[in-house]
Amino acid sequence: MLAGRSLGRGYDWLWTAFAVSMFGTSIAFDALPLLAILVLHAPPEAVSALAAVGLLAGAAVAVPLGPWIEFRRKRPVMIAMDLIRFAATISVPIAFVLGRLTFAQLVVVAVIMAAADIAFRAASGACLKALVKPDDLVIANGRLESTTWTAIAIGPPLGGAAIGLLGPVVTMIANALSFLLSALAIRRIGGNEPAPAQRQVQAFRATDLIEGWRTILAHPVLRLLFVNTVVVNGLIMATAPLLAVLMLRDLGFAPWQYGLAFGAPCIGGLIGARLAPFLTARFGQHNVLLAAGTLRACWSLGLAFIPHGTAGIAVVFALQFGLVTCIGIFNPVFAAYRLAQIEMERTARVLSAWTITSSATIALLTALWGVLAGLLGVRAAVALSGLLLLTTPLLLPRRVLRAWEGPGSPRVEVSR
């Protein structure tokens, strides 16, 4: 854990739960695509389809979960999602040991994991807002972001080494166990969780989730940030399976080298997350969002030109370090701003709508980029994504003239 004043026992246990599951997930970095490539020898189109179908179907399954979560206590939901993720993850090494692992099972596991992740994020966001004072949201999100990048910096190289020494499914076992530890930590949060909002009709209504999108689109700054983050995340993640194919198959890198190339640079995310509160206090929330949001779009194009050998590792390290440092600054400031703008009783619905849209966009772009890789080649598809990312700063709000104070207050005036 990172040093600093405590934000309360409840937050500390939530942070612990986040940390252990994040470290488990990072050790299992790209585990399903790696299994598809190394064990099942799937082509690039199939690897992209695995990521796309999992995210898209997971988002569809999660559609009714957002409104349902809104009217449930959040901690039991989080524990349930951890247990579901444990069961789905542990099924992979069991099937592998029995000689029954199939591509279809990987797809099913990807769907379950995607849906459970969306539900967990929605519940944890609402839980965080209930546990932390509004003035501490940047600090709280900065610590979570720091933990994310610390885990990603350490986990993939360890996972790649473990695969080389112990086999291709050992990281899945570690990931499964991390979900159990996360569930135990959430149980230790303690205190009485605030009662959820009440409703007369308990059945799912489509209008519940639509209300989440309506809240986002009605807010002039959140609307722009929504479009920007969804597009940026989609374009970055669409090339992830292709980069795995490029490095592991075409360039012949070992799994540990692949993990090191993408894991070690994530120390930049830790640096960025630690800088975020200072930069926000010094330059203001909006200026930090605009600067970091612009700079994070400038790195991915270079990944289309990864060379062979040690030079390739160095190129990936430099580009990823720059990218994740900018993301590490942007994400906690953005997350704190978003939570501060959402009414407590709408938090889960808004976060669910946001995450479902992001997951669906990533899924569609991943599938599209898999097709483009088959038609144009892997490097050309990665280059196209990088070129499009260079245009995404145009989607950021340029100047905020008045602060948003919630429904009924004067609207934020935004100059593009």
Side-chain angles (χ1 to χ4, degrees):
M1 289 300 178
L2 301 171
R5 66 182 177 86
S6 173
L7 299 182
R9 179 179 182 274
Y11 174 79
D12 289 342
W13 278 112
L14 179 65
W15 190 12
T16 300
F18 178 85
V20 295
S21 64
M22 191 66 236
F23 271 92
T25 300
S26 66
I27 288 174
F29 173 68
D30 275 354
L32 296 182
L34 284 174
L35 286 169
I37 295 169
L38 300 177
V39 177
L40 303 178
H41 307 292
E45 299 90 336
V47 177
S48 292
L50 171 62
V53 171
L55 285 171
L56 189 60
V61 171
V63 165
L65 292 180
W68 179 82
I69 292 168
E70 196 76 78
F71 303 102
R72 299 294 185 278
R73 294 188 184 276
K74 307 305 182 289
R75 296 175 205 169
V77 171
M78 294 162 67
I79 292 171
M81 294 304 110
D82 272 335
L83 296 179
I84 289 172
R85 292 189 289 185
F86 165 77
T89 304
I90 201 66
S91 72
V92 174
I94 291 174
F96 177 80
V97 169
L98 296 176
R100 304 294 295 272
L101 184 64
T102 64
F103 189 82
Q105 180 179 355
L106 296 183
V107 172
V108 172
V109 170
V111 171
I112 294 172
M113 294 293 289
D117 284 345
I118 291 172
F120 187 92
R121 288 180 193 177
S124 63
C127 181
L128 173 64
K129 185 167 183 176
L131 291 172
V132 176
K133 297 177 181 178
D135 291 344
D136 289 331
L137 282 174
V138 172
I139 296 174
N141 281 287
R143 291 178 181 177
L144 297 180
E145 189 73 11
S146 296
T147 303
T148 296
W149 293 116
T150 301
I152 298 176
I154 297 172
L158 288 179
I163 289 174
L165 292 172
L166 302 174
V169 297
V170 64
T171 59
M172 296 292 288
I173 297 173
N175 195 19
L177 294 176
S178 75
F179 292 130
L180 286 183
L181 293 175
S182 173
L184 290 174
I186 293 168
R187 281 183 58 85
R188 297 295 302 275
I189 288 177
N192 294 321
E193 182 178 355
Q198 299 297 314
R199 62 180 294 176
Q200 295 180 349
V201 180
Q202 295 298 324
F204 165 70
R205 297 181 305 177
T207 54
D208 289 326
L209 195 59
I210 291 173
E211 182 62 29
W213 281 300
R214 183 179 293 118
T215 300
I216 295 168
L217 297 178
H219 190 299
V221 177
L222 281 184
R223 180 171 63 243
L224 292 174
L225 290 173
F226 174 68
V227 175
N228 175 267
T229 56
V230 166
V231 173
V232 169
N233 291 341
L235 289 172
I236 290 174
M237 295 306 298
T239 60
L242 303 182
L243 290 170
V245 172
L246 175 63
M247 294 189 68
L248 294 170
R249 189 197 68 179
D250 298 348
L251 298 177
F253 289 104
W256 71 267
Q257 292 174 311
Y258 172 71
L260 180 65
F262 282 96
C266 292
I267 193 68
L270 173 62
I271 295 170
R274 296 299 299 269
L275 286 174
F278 166 77
L279 293 174
T280 301
R282 176 68 177 82
F283 299 105
Q285 195 173 50
H286 178 261
N287 290 329
V288 172
L289 286 175
L290 181 60
T294 299
L295 290 173
R296 68 184 172 153
C298 301
W299 305 92
S300 294
L301 178 60
L303 292 172
F305 306 100
I306 302 172
H308 289 269
T310 304
I313 301 294
V315 168
V316 174
F317 181 94
L319 294 171
Q320 286 295 110
F321 184 85
L323 174 65
V324 299
T325 300
C326 297
I327 293 175
I329 296 170
F330 180 89
N331 280 356
V333 181
F334 155 69
Y337 178 82
R338 180 176 61 180
L339 279 178
Q341 305 307 305
I342 306 170
E343 294 175 326
M344 186 63 194
E345 61 271 16
R346 298 184 182 184
T347 302
R349 276 173 287 181
V350 169
L351 294 181
S352 293
W354 200 299
T355 308
I356 287 169
T357 305
S358 181
S359 294
T361 302
I362 292 172
L364 293 173
L365 291 180
T366 299
L368 176 58
W369 254 255
V371 174
L372 290 174
L375 295 174
L376 306 175
V378 172
R379 289 186 185 272
V382 174
L384 179 59
S385 173
L387 288 171
L388 291 175
L389 275 166
L390 293 176
T391 69
T392 58
L394 298 175
L395 300 172
L396 289 167
R398 294 295 165 186
R399 185 164 55 97
V400 178
L401 302 180
R402 289 205 303 270
W404 173 271
E405 298 176 357
S409 69
R411 292 293 183 95
V412 178
E413 297 179 13
V414 182
S415 171
R416 294 296 305 279

